[in-house]
Amino acid sequence: MITNRDITSRELLDEALDELVDSARANGVSDDETAEALRVRAAGIAGGADGETETGSEA
């Protein structure tokens, strides 16, 4: 289960991402879909989109 917690370090971010990937796999989301979603989010962050994806929703 993905936890709701403050991400205060890179280590905690990595742990949260591990949980996200594990949860997605357990619920039938393919690794390719997860990777694409993460790429879209990373591009938005790098582009200054303030966490918004191409659909305009926030995670």
Side-chain angles (χ1 to χ4, degrees):
M1 166 102 7
I2 297 174
T3 59
N4 184 13
R5 60 183 163 185
D6 291 331
I7 304 298
T8 57
S9 69
R10 173 62 190 264
E11 182 179 358
L12 288 175
L13 176 60
D14 286 341
E15 287 176 19
L17 288 171
D18 286 344
E19 290 178 19
L20 179 134
V21 170
D22 290 345
S23 178
R25 284 178 177 157
N27 288 290
V29 178
S30 74
D31 287 349
D32 287 343
E33 289 177 294
T34 300
E36 178 59 20
L38 290 170
R39 280 191 289 274
V40 168
R41 178 55 54 106
I45 292 168
D50 215 14
E52 294 209 1
T53 63
E54 61 191 20
T55 62
S57 62
E58 293 189 28

